[in-house]
Amino acid sequence: MIEAIFGEEADKKLIKLALTHPSFTKENNKDILENYERLEFFGDSVLKLFASKMLYEKYPKYSEGELSKIRSILVSDYILSKIALEIGVNNDIILGQSEERQGGRMRESNLACSLEAILGAYYLSNKSEAVENFLAKYLLPYTQDIDEHFEKYNAKDILQQYTQGQDKTLPEYKTISVTGPAHLPEFEVQVVWQNEVIATATGKTKKEAQQNCAYKACKKFGII
């Protein structure tokens, strides 16, 4: 599956590591290095390098600050998990039983970390061109929307700053329901502030639903 998406094969041992969650390593008494953590550490740098290159070339007149603002969202778990779901990483990730039961296959951080590890695995397999082509296809399309609608992607922070400025309290997000099949759930979330439901929204992950919810709340308050 991964090879088909990238169009090339990488070192199979590295790909297996990239798809192995630490919970599997722990539950099966394997060496602590037999999971994606080291590759994720490396892949994070690979991702930022290529993302920086793409932004540098796409926006030749943007300052360092403007480029950094876009990149902070572009390489976030929120965006990476969406890409990971699009290419089916959730189906291939190897989890411990406990993490599986707790919905780890759809956990945003797990998906993002595994995708970064996959990028690291391909880079270490001397497939840097495949990495760049993959990111150009799946990551680059988000840049325009992030640039034009940065508030949409930063809505949780904007809402938090607003509520703290009003009464020094934070909004609270509550998951109302989870529907759909286990491999493709839909989360419904409410955001509550001052004991009042401000907005309700859905998303493919809990954090996506929260972000959508915060955006609706910000629009309601007129702060976006």
Side-chain angles (χ1 to χ4, degrees), residues 1-220:
M1 178 63 179
I2 298 300
E3 288 81 359
I5 295 296
F6 276 80
E8 292 188 42
E9 288 190 1
D11 184 297
K12 293 188 182 301
K13 289 183 179 179
L14 289 177
I15 290 297
K16 184 176 180 180
L17 277 180
L19 293 169
T20 302
H21 188 268
S23 62
F24 181 85
T25 308
K26 184 177 180 180
E27 285 186 12
N28 291 274
N29 296 314
K30 293 183 176 291
D31 189 288
I32 60 171
L33 300 181
E34 293 186 49
N35 58 56
Y36 64 47
E37 289 181 326
R38 276 172 52 85
L39 274 174
E40 184 268 330
F41 164 80
F42 180 73
D44 175 70
S45 296
V46 172
L47 170 66
K48 287 178 179 175
L49 172 63
F50 283 104
S52 298
K53 181 175 182 288
M54 289 192 303
L55 293 175
Y56 187 85
E57 293 173 345
K58 184 175 177 64
Y59 300 108
K61 296 184 179 181
Y62 277 22
S63 68
E64 178 270 341
E66 291 172 307
L67 294 174
S68 293
K69 187 174 76 169
I70 298 173
R71 191 184 65 180
S72 69
I73 301 298
L74 192 63
V75 301
S76 67
D77 284 2
Y78 174 68
I79 297 296
L80 296 181
S81 63
K82 289 169 73 71
I83 295 173
L85 284 173
E86 186 178 351
I87 67 172
V89 171
N90 56 306
N91 298 320
D92 296 334
I93 195 167
I94 304 167
L95 301 170
Q97 293 182 9
S98 176
E99 184 67 15
E100 183 80 72
R101 287 194 297 269
Q102 294 174 31
R105 194 166 293 280
M106 296 298 295
R107 200 184 304 280
E108 193 173 79
S109 58
N110 293 348
L111 294 168
C113 286
S114 189
L115 180 57
E116 286 181 323
I118 291 167
L119 295 177
Y122 266 84
Y123 192 90
L124 290 173
S125 300
N126 296 315
K127 304 292 183 180
S128 59
E129 186 175 348
V131 171
E132 187 165 14
N133 291 339
F134 171 83
L135 293 176
K137 179 178 180 179
Y138 290 95
L139 189 68
L140 186 60
Y142 284 99
T143 57
Q144 190 74 29
D145 193 49
I146 294 171
D147 184 35
E148 295 177 358
H149 307 100
F150 184 77
E151 296 88 351
K152 180 176 71 174
Y153 293 92
N154 203 38
K156 287 183 71 175
D157 287 340
I158 294 172
L159 181 61
Q160 178 177 310
Q161 291 172 16
Y162 174 78
T163 60
Q164 284 185 313
Q166 296 296 309
D167 61 7
K168 293 183 171 59
T169 63
L170 298 174
E172 181 183 359
Y173 297 90
K174 297 181 178 180
T175 302
I176 304 304
S177 66
V178 183
T179 57
H183 69 283
L184 199 63
E186 182 173 75
F187 295 82
E188 183 178 19
V189 168
Q190 288 181 341
V191 60
V192 178
W193 180 53
Q194 294 181 336
N195 297 315
E196 179 185 349
V197 176
I198 306 169
T200 303
T202 60
K204 293 180 180 179
T205 67
K206 189 181 296 184
K207 285 190 179 180
E208 181 181 272
Q210 291 176 354
Q211 194 70 258
N212 292 339
C213 209
Y215 183 67
K216 290 178 69 173
C218 287
K219 295 282 284 186
K220 178 179 179 179

